[in-house]
Amino acid sequence: MLIPFNKPYFIGTETRYIEEAVRSGKLSGDGIFTRRCEEWLQHQLGVPRVLLTTSGTDALELAALLLDLQPGDEVLLPSFTFSSTATAFVLRGAKLIFVDSSADGPAFDTAQLETLVTPRTRAIVPVHYAGLACDMDAVRAVAERHHLAVVEDAAQALGGGFRGRPLGTLGALGAFSFHETKNVTAGGEGGMLVINEPQLIARAEILREKGTNRAAFFRGEVAKYSWVDVGSSFLPAEINAAFLWAQLEELEIIQQRRQAIWARYFAELQPLAQLGVRLPFVPDYTTQNGHLFYLVCRSLAERTALIAELKQQGITAIFHYQPLHSSPYYAPRHDGRLLPWAEHYADCLVRLPLYTELEESQQQCIVRAVLRFYQIV
Ligand SMILES: *Cc1c(COP(=O)(O)O)cnc(C)c1O
Protein backbone atom coordinates (compact mmCIF):
# COMPACT_ATOMS: atom_id res chain seq x y z
CA MET A 1 0.00 0.00 0.00
CA LEU A 2 1.42 3.38 -1.02
CA ILE A 3 0.56 6.26 1.29
CA PRO A 4 1.56 9.70 0.06
CA PHE A 5 2.37 12.53 2.43
CA ASN A 6 -0.40 14.76 1.08
CA LYS A 7 -3.23 14.45 -1.39
CA PRO A 8 -5.37 17.43 -2.37
CA TYR A 9 -9.04 16.80 -1.66
CA PHE A 10 -11.68 17.43 -4.32
CA ILE A 11 -15.31 17.72 -3.40
CA GLY A 12 -16.60 17.51 -6.96
CA THR A 13 -18.44 20.82 -7.09
CA GLU A 14 -15.23 22.73 -7.88
CA THR A 15 -15.52 22.17 -11.64
CA ARG A 16 -19.20 23.12 -11.63
CA TYR A 17 -18.46 26.44 -9.94
CA ILE A 18 -15.50 27.07 -12.24
CA GLU A 19 -17.77 26.49 -15.22
CA GLU A 20 -20.26 28.91 -13.70
CA ALA A 21 -17.51 31.50 -13.32
CA VAL A 22 -16.40 30.99 -16.92
CA ARG A 23 -19.97 31.31 -18.24
CA SER A 24 -20.55 34.47 -16.22
CA GLY A 25 -18.13 36.18 -18.60
CA LYS A 26 -16.21 37.81 -15.76
CA LEU A 27 -12.94 36.05 -15.05
CA SER A 28 -10.77 38.70 -13.42
CA GLY A 29 -10.75 39.24 -9.66
CA ASP A 30 -13.38 40.59 -7.27
CA GLY A 31 -16.30 38.89 -9.01
CA ILE A 32 -19.22 36.96 -7.54
CA PHE A 33 -17.21 34.04 -6.16
CA THR A 34 -14.52 36.23 -4.62
CA ARG A 35 -17.16 38.27 -2.83
CA ARG A 36 -19.03 35.15 -1.74
CA CYS A 37 -15.86 33.65 -0.24
CA GLU A 38 -14.87 36.90 1.46
CA GLU A 39 -18.28 37.52 2.99
CA TRP A 40 -18.61 33.96 4.21
CA LEU A 41 -15.13 34.05 5.75
CA GLN A 42 -15.77 37.43 7.39
CA HIS A 43 -18.86 35.96 9.00
CA GLN A 44 -17.14 32.73 10.06
CA LEU A 45 -14.16 34.51 11.60
CA GLY A 46 -16.12 37.47 12.90
CA VAL A 47 -13.77 40.03 11.33
CA PRO A 48 -14.48 43.33 9.58
CA ARG A 49 -12.71 42.48 6.31
CA VAL A 50 -11.21 39.56 4.44
CA LEU A 51 -9.39 40.06 1.14
CA LEU A 52 -8.66 37.05 -1.05
CA THR A 53 -5.12 37.07 -2.41
CA THR A 54 -3.23 34.98 -4.95
CA SER A 55 -1.24 33.23 -2.20
CA GLY A 56 -0.38 33.25 1.47
CA THR A 57 2.93 34.82 0.47
CA ASP A 58 1.04 37.66 -1.18
CA ALA A 59 -1.13 38.12 1.89
CA LEU A 60 2.07 38.55 3.94
CA GLU A 61 3.48 40.98 1.37
CA LEU A 62 0.29 43.00 1.46
CA ALA A 63 0.51 43.04 5.27
CA ALA A 64 4.12 44.25 5.15
CA LEU A 65 3.16 47.02 2.70
CA LEU A 66 0.31 48.10 4.95
CA LEU A 67 2.66 48.53 7.90
CA ASP A 68 4.70 51.07 5.93
CA LEU A 69 7.98 49.61 7.11
CA GLN A 70 11.10 51.66 6.43
CA PRO A 71 14.53 50.21 5.68
CA GLY A 72 16.19 49.25 8.94
CA ASP A 73 12.93 48.71 10.82
CA GLU A 74 13.05 45.49 12.77
CA VAL A 75 10.62 42.59 12.68
CA LEU A 76 10.55 39.73 15.19
CA LEU A 77 9.73 36.34 13.70
CA PRO A 78 10.61 32.67 14.24
CA SER A 79 13.57 31.12 12.46
CA PHE A 80 11.76 27.80 12.13
CA THR A 81 9.28 28.84 9.43
CA PHE A 82 8.75 29.04 5.69
CA SER A 83 10.77 31.60 3.69
CA SER A 84 7.62 33.62 2.85
CA THR A 85 7.25 34.72 6.47
CA ALA A 86 10.60 36.45 6.04
CA THR A 87 10.69 37.54 2.39
CA ALA A 88 7.56 39.68 2.74
CA PHE A 89 9.42 41.91 5.23
CA VAL A 90 12.85 41.68 3.56
CA LEU A 91 11.24 43.14 0.43
CA ARG A 92 10.46 46.25 2.48
CA GLY A 93 14.07 46.55 3.63
CA ALA A 94 13.29 45.38 7.15
CA LYS A 95 15.87 43.76 9.37
CA LEU A 96 14.84 40.34 10.58
CA ILE A 97 15.33 39.50 14.23
CA PHE A 98 14.89 35.76 14.50
CA VAL A 99 13.38 34.28 17.63
CA ASP A 100 14.27 30.74 18.65
CA SER A 101 11.69 27.98 18.96
CA SER A 102 10.92 26.86 22.48
CA ALA A 103 11.88 23.67 24.25
CA ASP A 104 8.20 22.70 24.23
CA GLY A 105 7.55 22.95 20.50
CA PRO A 106 8.44 24.59 17.19
CA ALA A 107 6.48 27.80 17.86
CA PHE A 108 8.68 30.74 18.82
CA ASP A 109 9.62 31.24 22.47
CA THR A 110 7.55 34.22 23.54
CA ALA A 111 9.69 34.67 26.67
CA GLN A 112 12.50 35.94 24.40
CA LEU A 113 10.45 38.62 22.66
CA GLU A 114 10.90 41.38 25.21
CA THR A 115 14.69 41.01 25.26
CA LEU A 116 14.85 41.42 21.47
CA VAL A 117 12.83 44.63 21.24
CA THR A 118 14.83 47.75 20.30
CA PRO A 119 13.76 51.31 19.40
CA ARG A 120 13.66 50.14 15.73
CA THR A 121 11.26 47.25 16.34
CA ARG A 122 8.00 47.65 14.45
CA ALA A 123 6.26 44.29 14.28
CA ILE A 124 5.97 40.78 15.69
CA VAL A 125 5.07 37.95 13.33
CA PRO A 126 3.91 34.85 15.21
CA VAL A 127 3.64 31.71 13.06
CA HIS A 128 1.01 29.22 14.21
CA TYR A 129 3.04 26.19 13.22
CA ALA A 130 0.95 23.09 12.45
CA GLY A 131 -2.15 25.17 13.11
CA LEU A 132 -1.31 25.16 16.84
CA ALA A 133 -1.51 28.57 18.48
CA CYS A 134 1.43 30.60 19.71
CA ASP A 135 0.90 32.13 23.13
CA MET A 136 -0.95 35.17 21.83
CA ASP A 137 -1.45 36.66 25.32
CA ALA A 138 2.32 36.91 25.65
CA VAL A 139 2.72 38.24 22.09
CA ARG A 140 0.06 40.87 22.58
CA ALA A 141 1.41 41.98 25.94
CA VAL A 142 4.83 42.74 24.42
CA ALA A 143 3.23 44.35 21.35
CA GLU A 144 1.08 46.63 23.50
CA ARG A 145 3.95 47.65 25.79
CA HIS A 146 6.11 48.68 22.84
CA HIS A 147 3.43 49.75 20.34
CA LEU A 148 4.26 47.04 17.82
CA ALA A 149 2.01 45.66 15.10
CA VAL A 150 1.13 41.97 15.24
CA VAL A 151 0.88 40.14 11.91
CA GLU A 152 -0.12 36.51 12.35
CA ASP A 153 1.24 34.07 9.83
CA ALA A 154 -1.84 31.88 9.99
CA ALA A 155 -1.02 30.14 6.69
CA GLN A 156 -1.54 26.73 8.33
CA ALA A 157 -4.08 27.83 10.89
CA LEU A 158 -7.55 27.95 9.33
CA GLY A 159 -9.91 26.53 11.95
CA GLY A 160 -7.34 26.62 14.74
CA GLY A 161 -8.07 28.53 17.93
CA PHE A 162 -6.51 30.42 20.81
CA ARG A 163 -8.68 30.44 23.94
CA GLY A 164 -11.68 29.81 21.72
CA ARG A 165 -10.93 32.62 19.29
CA PRO A 166 -10.00 31.87 15.67
CA LEU A 167 -6.31 32.12 14.83
CA GLY A 168 -5.56 34.90 12.39
CA THR A 169 -8.01 37.24 14.13
CA LEU A 170 -5.87 38.13 17.14
CA GLY A 171 -3.38 40.54 15.57
CA ALA A 172 -3.91 43.63 13.43
CA LEU A 173 -3.53 41.41 10.35
CA GLY A 174 -3.66 37.68 9.66
CA ALA A 175 -2.31 35.94 6.57
CA PHE A 176 -3.74 32.58 5.44
CA SER A 177 -2.80 30.23 2.61
CA PHE A 178 -5.01 28.16 0.31
CA HIS A 179 -2.08 26.32 -1.26
CA GLU A 180 -2.88 22.72 -2.16
CA THR A 181 -0.99 21.46 0.90
CA LYS A 182 -3.21 23.40 3.31
CA ASN A 183 -6.58 22.26 4.71
CA VAL A 184 -8.56 23.87 1.89
CA THR A 185 -7.25 25.11 -1.44
CA ALA A 186 -8.20 27.67 -4.06
CA GLY A 187 -7.25 25.27 -6.86
CA GLY A 188 -3.55 24.96 -6.05
CA GLU A 189 -2.56 28.47 -5.02
CA GLY A 190 -4.40 31.13 -3.06
CA GLY A 191 -4.57 33.01 0.19
CA MET A 192 -6.30 35.71 2.16
CA LEU A 193 -5.51 38.63 4.39
CA VAL A 194 -7.70 39.12 7.44
CA ILE A 195 -7.87 42.76 8.49
CA ASN A 196 -8.91 43.21 12.07
CA GLU A 197 -8.30 46.95 12.33
CA PRO A 198 -11.00 48.82 10.43
CA GLN A 199 -8.74 51.82 9.78
CA LEU A 200 -6.50 49.61 7.61
CA ILE A 201 -9.26 48.36 5.29
CA ALA A 202 -9.47 51.19 2.76
CA ARG A 203 -5.72 51.28 2.17
CA ALA A 204 -5.51 47.47 1.95
CA GLU A 205 -8.07 47.53 -0.86
CA ILE A 206 -6.00 50.14 -2.71
CA LEU A 207 -2.64 48.37 -2.31
CA ARG A 208 -4.20 45.12 -3.53
CA GLU A 209 -5.59 46.83 -6.64
CA LYS A 210 -2.38 48.25 -8.15
CA GLY A 211 -2.52 51.38 -6.01
CA THR A 212 -5.91 52.46 -7.39
CA ASN A 213 -9.15 53.23 -5.61
CA ARG A 214 -11.02 50.89 -7.95
CA ALA A 215 -12.79 49.05 -5.11
CA ALA A 216 -14.28 52.31 -3.84
CA PHE A 217 -15.21 53.25 -7.43
CA PHE A 218 -17.16 50.03 -7.94
CA ARG A 219 -19.03 50.70 -4.72
CA GLY A 220 -19.91 54.13 -6.09
CA GLU A 221 -17.94 55.96 -3.42
CA VAL A 222 -15.81 57.92 -5.90
CA ALA A 223 -16.75 59.24 -9.37
CA LYS A 224 -13.70 57.85 -11.17
CA TYR A 225 -10.81 55.71 -10.14
CA SER A 226 -7.23 56.90 -10.04
CA TRP A 227 -3.77 55.90 -8.99
CA VAL A 228 -3.59 57.01 -5.36
CA ASP A 229 -0.88 54.98 -3.58
CA VAL A 230 1.81 52.31 -4.02
CA GLY A 231 0.47 48.85 -4.70
CA SER A 232 0.63 45.59 -6.55
CA SER A 233 -1.75 42.99 -7.96
CA PHE A 234 -2.78 40.62 -5.23
CA LEU A 235 -6.28 39.60 -6.28
CA PRO A 236 -6.95 36.07 -7.51
CA ALA A 237 -8.90 35.20 -10.67
CA GLU A 238 -12.53 34.17 -10.30
CA ILE A 239 -11.82 30.53 -11.23
CA ASN A 240 -9.62 30.26 -8.14
CA ALA A 241 -12.31 31.81 -5.98
CA ALA A 242 -14.88 29.44 -7.52
CA PHE A 243 -12.71 26.48 -6.57
CA LEU A 244 -12.28 27.84 -3.07
CA TRP A 245 -16.02 28.36 -2.65
CA ALA A 246 -16.66 24.67 -3.30
CA GLN A 247 -14.14 23.83 -0.57
CA LEU A 248 -15.49 26.35 1.92
CA GLU A 249 -18.98 24.90 1.56
CA GLU A 250 -17.53 21.62 2.88
CA LEU A 251 -15.14 23.18 5.36
CA GLU A 252 -16.79 21.71 8.42
CA ILE A 253 -16.63 18.17 7.08
CA ILE A 254 -13.04 18.60 5.92
CA GLN A 255 -11.98 19.94 9.32
CA GLN A 256 -13.82 17.22 11.23
CA ARG A 257 -12.12 14.50 9.23
CA ARG A 258 -8.69 16.03 9.56
CA GLN A 259 -9.10 16.71 13.27
CA ALA A 260 -10.20 13.12 13.81
CA ILE A 261 -7.08 11.83 12.00
CA TRP A 262 -4.90 14.16 14.08
CA ALA A 263 -6.57 13.06 17.32
CA ARG A 264 -6.06 9.37 16.46
CA TYR A 265 -2.35 9.92 15.82
CA PHE A 266 -2.09 11.82 19.08
CA ALA A 267 -3.81 9.07 21.08
CA GLU A 268 -2.21 6.06 19.45
CA LEU A 269 1.34 7.35 19.41
CA GLN A 270 1.34 8.33 23.11
CA PRO A 271 3.56 5.33 24.03
CA LEU A 272 6.41 7.12 22.23
CA ALA A 273 6.43 9.85 24.86
CA GLN A 274 7.88 7.42 27.41
CA LEU A 275 10.89 6.93 25.15
CA GLY A 276 11.50 10.65 24.87
CA VAL A 277 10.10 10.94 21.36
CA ARG A 278 7.90 14.01 21.51
CA LEU A 279 4.36 14.48 20.29
CA PRO A 280 2.87 17.88 19.33
CA PHE A 281 2.84 20.44 22.11
CA VAL A 282 -0.78 21.34 22.80
CA PRO A 283 -1.11 23.87 25.62
CA ASP A 284 -4.65 24.27 26.93
CA TYR A 285 -5.06 27.57 25.05
CA THR A 286 -4.80 25.95 21.62
CA THR A 287 -7.36 24.06 19.55
CA GLN A 288 -5.83 21.84 16.86
CA ASN A 289 -7.15 22.21 13.31
CA GLY A 290 -5.95 18.90 11.86
CA HIS A 291 -3.45 20.57 9.60
CA LEU A 292 -0.22 18.72 10.27
CA PHE A 293 0.96 16.00 12.64
CA TYR A 294 4.57 15.84 13.72
CA LEU A 295 6.88 13.87 15.98
CA VAL A 296 10.19 15.07 17.36
CA CYS A 297 12.75 12.28 17.19
CA ARG A 298 15.65 12.08 19.64
CA SER A 299 18.33 12.66 17.01
CA LEU A 300 18.87 13.37 13.34
CA ALA A 301 20.15 9.82 12.83
CA GLU A 302 16.98 8.40 14.37
CA ARG A 303 14.79 10.59 12.19
CA THR A 304 16.69 9.58 9.07
CA ALA A 305 16.24 5.92 9.96
CA LEU A 306 12.53 6.37 10.71
CA ILE A 307 11.86 8.13 7.40
CA ALA A 308 13.79 5.40 5.54
CA GLU A 309 11.94 2.63 7.37
CA LEU A 310 8.54 4.15 6.58
CA LYS A 311 9.56 4.66 2.96
CA GLN A 312 10.39 0.96 2.75
CA GLN A 313 6.77 0.33 3.64
CA GLY A 314 5.42 2.76 1.08
CA ILE A 315 4.73 5.55 3.59
CA THR A 316 5.99 9.04 2.86
CA ALA A 317 6.96 10.99 5.97
CA ILE A 318 9.01 14.15 5.66
CA PHE A 319 11.01 16.60 7.70
CA HIS A 320 10.28 20.33 7.58
CA TYR A 321 12.07 23.70 7.60
CA GLN A 322 15.74 24.46 7.65
CA PRO A 323 16.14 27.44 10.00
CA LEU A 324 16.09 30.80 8.25
CA HIS A 325 18.76 32.44 10.44
CA SER A 326 21.35 29.97 9.10
CA SER A 327 20.01 29.87 5.53
CA PRO A 328 22.32 30.71 2.62
CA TYR A 329 20.46 34.00 2.10
CA TYR A 330 20.19 35.26 5.64
CA ALA A 331 23.19 33.75 7.50
CA PRO A 332 25.52 36.60 6.42
CA ARG A 333 22.91 39.13 7.61
CA HIS A 334 21.93 37.44 10.87
CA ASP A 335 23.10 39.02 14.12
CA GLY A 336 24.99 35.88 15.11
CA ARG A 337 22.82 34.65 17.98
CA LEU A 338 22.62 30.86 18.22
CA LEU A 339 19.11 29.43 17.94
CA PRO A 340 19.57 25.86 19.11
CA TRP A 341 15.90 24.88 19.29
CA ALA A 342 15.23 25.93 15.71
CA GLU A 343 18.18 23.75 14.69
CA HIS A 344 16.81 20.94 16.84
CA TYR A 345 13.41 20.91 15.11
CA ALA A 346 15.12 21.20 11.72
CA ASP A 347 17.08 18.03 12.55
CA CYS A 348 14.56 16.01 14.50
CA LEU A 349 10.99 16.89 13.48
CA VAL A 350 9.16 14.58 11.10
CA ARG A 351 5.67 14.98 9.65
CA LEU A 352 3.38 11.98 9.11
CA PRO A 353 0.86 11.73 6.24
CA LEU A 354 -2.28 13.72 6.98
CA TYR A 355 -4.89 14.50 4.36
CA THR A 356 -8.66 14.60 4.29
CA GLU A 357 -9.09 11.26 2.52
CA LEU A 358 -6.57 9.32 4.60
CA GLU A 359 -8.46 6.16 5.58
CA GLU A 360 -8.48 4.64 9.02
CA SER A 361 -6.90 1.42 7.74
CA GLN A 362 -4.09 3.41 6.13
CA GLN A 363 -3.58 5.36 9.30
CA GLN A 364 -3.41 2.15 11.34
CA CYS A 365 -0.70 1.00 8.97
CA ILE A 366 1.28 4.18 9.59
CA VAL A 367 0.83 4.03 13.37
CA ARG A 368 1.88 0.36 13.47
CA ALA A 369 4.94 1.08 11.33
CA VAL A 370 6.03 3.90 13.65
CA LEU A 371 5.44 1.87 16.81
CA ARG A 372 7.29 -1.09 15.28
CA PHE A 373 10.24 1.14 14.45
CA TYR A 374 10.43 2.00 18.15
CA GLN A 375 9.90 -1.66 19.05
CA ILE A 376 6.72 -0.93 20.95
CA VAL A 377 4.66 -3.54 19.06
C1 LIG B 1 2.18 27.78 3.22
C2 LIG B 1 2.83 28.79 4.06
C3 LIG B 1 3.10 30.09 3.59
C4 LIG B 1 2.94 30.52 2.17
O1 LIG B 1 1.71 30.29 1.62
P1 LIG B 1 1.59 30.21 0.02
O2 LIG B 1 0.12 30.23 -0.21
O3 LIG B 1 2.23 28.92 -0.39
O4 LIG B 1 2.27 31.38 -0.57
C5 LIG B 1 3.62 31.02 4.49
N1 LIG B 1 3.87 30.70 5.76
C6 LIG B 1 3.66 29.45 6.24
C7 LIG B 1 3.94 29.17 7.69
C8 LIG B 1 3.15 28.45 5.40
O5 LIG B 1 2.94 27.22 5.89
Side-chain angles (χ1 to χ4, degrees):
M1 176 159 37
L2 280 181
I3 306 177
F5 174 68
N6 179 54
K7 192 174 156 204
Y9 179 56
F10 299 109
I11 286 118
T13 43
E14 289 89 346
T15 45
R16 202 177 87 216
Y17 290 150
I18 287 172
E19 198 178 332
E20 214 178 288
V22 171
R23 286 187 197 285
S24 79
K26 186 182 184 309
L27 288 173
S28 58
D30 279 342
I32 293 164
F33 282 104
T34 299
R35 217 151 300 143
R36 202 177 284 170
C37 290
E38 288 177 350
E39 277 166 15
W40 189 85
L41 286 159
Q42 279 162 205
H43 181 75
Q44 283 285 311
L45 297 169
V47 294
R49 190 71 166 106
V50 163
L51 292 171
L52 290 195
T53 57
T54 39
S55 65
T57 304
D58 270 353
L60 287 161
E61 286 180 21
L62 180 50
L65 268 172
L66 267 170
L67 296 186
D68 253 338
L69 297 176
Q70 301 305 310
D73 284 347
E74 295 176 1
V75 173
L76 302 176
L77 74 168
S79 175
F80 189 78
T81 183
F82 191 55
S83 59
S84 305
T85 318
T87 53
F89 300 96
V90 163
L91 281 172
R92 307 267 63 80
K95 184 171 173 208
L96 306 180
I97 305 298
F98 288 111
V99 184
D100 202 3
S101 297
S102 81
D104 297 323
F108 68 5
D109 179 4
T110 51
Q112 294 181 16
L113 290 172
E114 192 93 49
T115 65
L116 297 170
V117 171
T118 75
R120 292 305 304 264
T121 311
R122 292 286 317 281
I124 306 177
V125 187
V127 177
H128 303 300
Y129 181 75
L132 299 169
C134 297
D135 182 350
M136 290 304 290
D137 285 340
V139 169
R140 290 193 329 173
V142 176
E144 274 162 33
R145 260 197 303 280
H146 301 278
H147 310 288
L148 311 175
V150 174
V151 177
E152 296 174 80
D153 182 338
Q156 305 176 7
L158 187 67
F162 175 78
R163 300 200 191 286
R165 291 179 58 191
L167 297 182
T169 71
L170 299 141
L173 299 160
F176 289 80
S177 169
F178 300 125
H179 185 265
E180 77 166 37
T181 53
K182 305 301 201 280
N183 288 23
V184 294
T185 175
E189 304 278 354
M192 69 170 165
L193 183 67
V194 165
I195 302 162
N196 297 307
E197 290 190 0
Q199 72 274 19
L200 293 173
I201 295 173
R203 183 149 190 260
E205 290 177 347
I206 289 166
L207 300 183
R208 174 170 168 272
E209 266 278 20
K210 301 96 178 166
T212 73
N213 54 0
R214 188 152 77 169
F217 170 70
F218 282 130
R219 285 196 299 260
E221 293 162 15
V222 290
K224 52 183 191 289
Y225 78 86
S226 334
W227 180 24
V228 295
D229 203 335
V230 296
S232 189
S233 185
F234 292 124
L235 63 170
E238 273 291 283
I239 55 172
N240 290 92
F243 195 108
L244 180 62
W245 178 247
Q247 302 246 314
L248 292 179
E249 280 189 325
E250 296 289 312
L251 180 63
E252 210 177 306
I253 290 161
I254 291 172
Q255 298 293 63
Q256 274 169 10
R257 281 204 212 167
R258 298 185 69 115
Q259 284 167 320
I261 295 167
W262 195 100
R264 272 202 300 272
Y265 271 140
F266 195 71
E268 289 175 23
L269 292 173
Q270 279 304 325
L272 298 178
Q274 273 115 57
L275 303 176
V277 175
R278 291 196 283 140
L279 277 72
F281 176 58
V282 195
D284 57 7
Y285 53 68
T286 189
T287 321
Q288 59 98 353
N289 70 340
H291 173 60
L292 173 168
F293 191 88
Y294 69 83
L295 295 173
V296 186
C297 299
R298 293 168 298 188
S299 68
L300 172 58
E302 181 179 289
R303 183 183 73 178
T304 307
L306 172 61
I307 290 174
E309 172 63 27
L310 293 175
K311 190 170 175 218
Q312 278 270 310
Q313 300 180 41
I315 299 162
T316 308
I318 40 186
F319 52 83
H320 215 171
Y321 310 123
Q322 293 306 297
L324 299 183
H325 74 280
S326 53
S327 63
Y329 180 71
Y330 216 80
R333 296 161 173 88
H334 175 61
D335 56 28
R337 281 172 302 115
L338 298 177
L339 306 178
W341 284 110
E343 303 284 359
H344 179 72
Y345 295 110
D347 287 346
C348 299
L349 182 145
V350 59
R351 295 173 289 163
L352 300 180
L354 200 172
Y355 48 89
T356 309
E357 283 176 294
L358 185 70
E359 285 164 22
E360 216 169 320
S361 61
Q362 293 176 304
Q363 196 184 6
Q364 269 161 16
C365 221
I366 300 163
V367 167
R368 263 201 309 274
V370 173
L371 293 177
R372 241 189 342 257
F373 174 83
Y374 285 104
Q375 297 173 343
I376 289 173
V377 285

